[in-house]
Amino acid sequence: MRVGVLTGGGDCPGLNAVIRGIVRKGVQEYGYEFTGFRDGWRGPLEGDTVRLDIPAVRGILPRGGTILGSSRTNPLTAADGIRRIKRNLAKQEVDALIAIGGEDTLGVAARIGDEYGVPCVGVPKTIDNDLSATDYTFGFDTAVGIATEAIDRLHTTAESHMRVLVVEVMGRHAGWIALHSGLAGGANVILIPEQRFDVDQVCTWVTSRFRASYAPIVVVAEGAMPKDGDMVLKDGTLDSFGHVRLSGVGEWLAKEIEKRTGKEARTTVLGHVQRGGTPSAFDRWLATRFGLHAIDAVRDGDFGTMVALRGTDIVRVPIREATARLKTVDPKLYEEAGVFFG
């Protein structure tokens, strides 16, 4: 049997650990052969492949990014996209496909599996941790660790100059990174996409912090929105899945705070720093287990499913179910953090 593997969407730490787990178990225990497709769905769309065997995955466990490359290519919008994918899979003699990605990548896998008969198994990947069918996605723990370390460092420079520091982290529709890193880093304000924020209230918290002779740290997710305004966009361009480019809410908020409080405010945008570098121990563990269980699903012919973490168990859920809705921050969790605001 020959199995195809692709990694789509934004890169994140742990992708290589998944690939390694898939190949090691698939070759050693099942005698499978593997074909890697380059740059997400562009690979099967254009027939761009690389050989995957045990030598190819040696030493990649601690490496960030993905040896297969990634992209936000949407084959459903490409001319004759599905027919081209099926033709290239047949040409490479690929019997099944493992798609490693987030909402968009897995959404394509669900559709081409259900509607076009391409046998697919999904592996959840997103630093946003916003797939509802799994307790955690790999990449999230590393991103939170990076953001927390940055907040720790920013505390000292904020105190030295007694200025407001606004830290913008990733999180388009879900504020998991902002909530976890903000709470762990001792932020004085945390703003997430699930809860529109009042700029005047933010300024009240900031002023309160200064009255206590401390400099405030404000953590804001890139998708957070003010009560009387819209999402701040980097520009109006859309990717192939229809998403706009975010980033800018941190800079906008810093200007508003400075204007309304008279206190100097600066912005740090962590951006792709959160995606890069070596994966944490937890993400290596989770990604490896996902890879091992994904190839088991292929062996069992359990296509149309995604591996997911429930407690400490790896289970299988329909890909359709996994991508049907986003997992957002529960208001009760956000309320818990509120005791530290101001």
Side-chain angles (χ1 to χ4, degrees):
M1 188 172 189
R2 182 177 295 275
V3 181
V5 182
L6 65 83
T7 54
D11 69 290
C12 77
L15 284 166
N16 288 323
V18 180
I19 297 168
R20 173 178 174 267
I22 290 169
V23 173
R24 284 288 298 269
K25 188 167 189 178
V27 171
Q28 292 174 194
E29 296 197 12
Y30 305 141
Y32 292 167
E33 295 181 342
F34 291 90
T35 295
F37 288 98
R38 297 281 303 168
D39 303 334
W41 286 109
R42 188 192 67 80
L45 190 65
E46 299 181 3
D48 190 357
T49 66
V50 60
R51 183 179 179 183
L52 284 180
D53 53 18
I54 288 180
V57 300
R58 286 200 180 109
I60 68 172
L61 177 63
R63 286 175 56 183
T66 165
I67 61 171
L68 294 178
S70 191
S71 75
R72 298 191 184 277
T73 301
N74 184 356
L76 301 177
T77 61
D80 210 15
I82 303 303
R83 189 186 65 82
R84 289 161 60 189
I85 286 177
K86 295 183 75 171
R87 181 185 65 204
N88 286 323
L89 291 178
K91 184 178 179 181
Q92 296 293 330
E93 299 181 333
V94 169
D95 303 296
L97 190 62
I98 297 178
I100 309 166
E103 173 194 7
D104 296 324
T105 301
L106 296 180
V108 172
R111 186 166 174 187
I112 69 171
D114 291 349
E115 299 180 18
Y116 301 99
V118 177
C120 292
V121 168
V123 176
K125 173 261 2 157
T126 168
I127 66 169
D128 288 343
N129 196 41
D130 59 2
L131 286 175
S132 61
T134 183
D135 289 351
Y136 286 98
T137 54
F138 67 89
F140 171 69
D141 184 72
T142 304
V144 168
I146 292 168
T148 301
E149 182 181 356
I151 294 167
D152 287 345
R153 292 176 180 274
L154 290 170
H155 271 293
T156 59
T157 185
E159 298 292 349
S160 297
H161 294 274
M162 289 304 289
R163 60 166 61 118
V164 184
L165 281 181
V166 178
V167 186
E168 182 182 303
V169 300
M170 287 185 169
R172 177 178 294 271
H173 300 297
W176 294 107
I177 294 176
L179 181 64
H180 281 239
S181 64
L183 199 57
N188 311 110
V189 182
I190 302 170
L191 306 175
I192 62 175
E194 294 88 341
Q195 302 279 341
R196 283 183 175 260
F197 62 88
D198 184 332
V199 179
D200 287 333
Q201 178 61 70
V202 172
C203 290
T204 299
W205 286 326
V206 164
T207 303
S208 172
R209 181 70 172 176
F210 277 118
R211 281 201 298 267
S213 299
Y214 289 99
I217 300 287
V218 178
V219 175
V220 56
E222 62 185 355
M225 292 182 286
K227 283 185 177 179
D228 302 318
D230 298 317
M231 187 177 289
V232 179
L233 307 179
K234 197 174 187 68
D235 54 51
T237 59
L238 303 177
D239 65 18
S240 61
F241 288 96
H243 300 310
V244 293
R245 294 176 64 195
L246 299 184
S247 186
V249 65
E251 190 66 35
W252 176 86
L253 182 60
K255 290 178 181 177
E256 288 295 315
I257 291 172
E258 197 166 87
K259 181 173 65 176
R260 300 184 190 203
T261 67
K263 299 293 186 179
E264 183 183 7
R266 299 289 179 85
T267 305
T268 297
V269 181
L270 296 185
H272 288 79
V273 171
Q274 296 158 92
R275 293 190 182 279
T278 187
S280 67
F282 178 82
D283 280 341
R284 297 185 201 189
W285 170 84
L286 179 58
T288 298
R289 292 190 69 201
F290 276 163
L292 298 176
H293 284 261
I295 197 62
D296 285 347
V298 170
R299 176 204 58 185
D300 296 342
D302 199 2
F303 300 116
T305 62
M306 182 194 84
V307 293
L309 180 69
R310 297 280 176 83
T312 58
D313 295 330
I314 305 295
V315 300
R316 300 174 193 168
V317 297
I319 300 178
R320 286 282 189 188
E321 175 187 320
T323 57
R325 63 181 180 86
L326 292 177
K327 179 178 68 181
T328 54
V329 174
D330 188 317
K332 292 181 180 178
L333 288 177
Y334 187 63
E335 288 174 12
E336 288 179 359
V339 70
F340 299 105
F341 294 179

